[in-house]
Amino acid sequence: MSIQVRLPDGSMQSVEPGTRPIDIARTISPRLADAAIVARVNGELFDLTRPLDSDAELKILTAKDAEALQVYRHSTAHLLAAAVLELFPETKLGIGPPIDTGFYYDFDRPTPFTPEDLEKIEKRMWEIQARELPYERVMTPKLEGLQKYADAWMKCELIRERAGEVFSEYTLGPQFIDFCRGPHIPSTSKIKAFKLLSIAGAYWKGNEHNKQLQRIYGTAFFTKKELDEYLAKLEEAKKRDHRKLGQELDLFSIQELAGPGLIFFHPKGGIVRKQIEDWMRDQYLKRGYSLVYTPHIVRRELFKVSGHANFYSENMFTPMELDDAEYQPKPMNCPGHILIYAHKQRSYRELPVRLGELGTVYRYERSGVMHGLMRVRGFTQDDAHIFCTPEQIESEIVDCLQFAFDTLETYGFHSYEAELSTWDNGASGKYDGSPEQWKLAEDALAKATERLELKVKVMQDEAAFYGPKIDVKLVDAIGRLWQLSTVQFDFTLPRRFGLEYIAEDGKAHQPLMVHRALYGSIERFFGILLEHYAGAFPVWLAPVQAVVLPITDRLQDYARQVRDRLDAAGIRVSVDDRNEKVNLKIREAQLQKVPYMLVVGDREAQADQVAVRNRKHGDLGAKPLDSFIADVRKLIDTKAVEE
Ligand SMILES: [Zn+2]
Ligand SMILES: [Zn+2]
């Protein structure tokens, strides 16, 4: 009896049971067989060398298919584990999955791995790779497996939890075998480019009550060229790391005494943050939003009504007992804005009501996941809520999105992606709101994107349970994608709070409610800007816009005059009057990424000039002071990104 295999081009092959995908690839073309990494059989990833035992839809995947990279990276993780066991046989293996940026493997070993160990391990990986070992799938009965892995405690735990009566393992040569679902690449000879990157602590199963393990991170690509490009990008990202720049430029800190995930903005960071906040508040007022302020701590009762005390409680700081009730720091600004909306009866004539706030919220993040400004426990959102009628919703969404794009443009981000997250048409029952509400909201979002000629990726069944949304992700200077703005419907909160407006028909109706945040969090946005510009903020944002450098003590007076005139023109300026060589002062100002260094000597003093040096373009020659001031003023007033 033969089995029928359907190929992607629709053609059929009739083959013996036991035929392997790689055999079929060979009949298609030797080139395909050569490039093959893994197969997809009936929708699932499948080893090239695993026999087919029934009719199948078959596709041979090569380096061109994204899924193949995952399999390739996971196979490199096995190679890592094999090398570690050869070098450090006392090590116990945890798990070794592929991740977005490569792969990792978790190890339990009494001695910490050192950077020198990483080099040794990498070298051994290449040695094992050169042995051209096949990744062979072996089926093992559960009981036998548990005996075999008796002294590998993590594998035993996994087998007990996950394995069926018979489970699959993958060998790599005679020595190495790993309990694994697979699939894998056929042989180590396919592995062409990888690098071990770092060692980090990780808890077994990500639970801090479990044993701490050592996680080795690595990355792998199909070609050396791709690997080199990735490593160069990583190097560039390291140079731009906002935590490093934040310290070097004295912008912000996280204080051990005050606790993790809580940010202190220093004077220079404070100036930058003020620009970011002022711009947003001004925009609120220009675009018909009302500016509101709501308390950081409120009665827990509010979050019971909003539902956060229930479905969001594990992200909230624990309540504190006061004399009259329990109080709690807010994790969201929405309930506060709702109280302002509901404070009086609303007529359709007042709608839309747009309430905006730079609102500080507190969310509990586990200690392992916090990261500089990017993931914190206290942060300020540029948060607004729009309450409107169904007739108004489409233009409100258009305005929100336009506002989001204007924000990106202002800060010098010219490329972005947008995602529209929709529901599952009610199939699962996990979404709140009626089908009519979902249709109205999704239509409004779709029409708004059409009006703006915006390309969106539709993410079906990715909406929040309370409504559909559009997310905007920006692309930064080194090609990284950052989730930024979000425009989100909410069917749940207006109902929970019984929100109303009196419509033209004289009856009470429930308004539509939209949450929207454009920077997302100001802390995080600050971090993104810092990395995007590698610390060299555009002139209008720069904490110090110009520094005056007198050549000798004799010129102190003129230097101060220059400072005062810049200051009077609203330019942030300082004088470096230390008794140091001008070249050293220039170097330091350059390191501080000050846009303009104004060197003043006798000649400049006599001619009412400054010798201008720009951080990017170097020496620009002498200029009359007035025209320099006018030039910089123009950069500031137009919020120029280039200088
Ligand atoms: Zn595996
Ligand atoms: Zn909200």
Side-chain angles (χ1 to χ4, degrees), residues 413-455:
F413 299 107
H414 306 299
S415 57
Y416 45 80
E417 294 178 6
E419 286 175 359
L420 167 59
S421 300
T422 60
W423 75 327
D424 61 356
N425 295 311
S428 65
K430 66 183 170 184
Y431 291 101
D432 205 358
S434 67
E436 296 74 39
Q437 281 176 312
W438 279 89
K439 183 167 177 358
L440 175 88
E442 291 186 358
D443 281 356
L445 289 170
K447 277 192 207 138
T449 60
E450 273 167 39
R451 263 168 67 183
L452 291 166
E453 292 177 12
L454 174 68
K455 260 199 224 121

Side-chain angles (χ1 to χ4, degrees), residues 332-334 383-385 493 513 515-516:
M332 307 256 180
N333 299 303
C334 345
D383 204 358
H385 296 89
L493 286 176
M513 177 178 173
H515 311 256
R516 42 109 295 176

Side-chain angles (χ1 to χ4, degrees), residues 74-75 78 96 170 178-184:
H74 176 57
S75 301
H78 275 227
Y170 281 81
D178 198 358
F179 164 60
C180 170
R181 274 215 329 251
H184 279 283

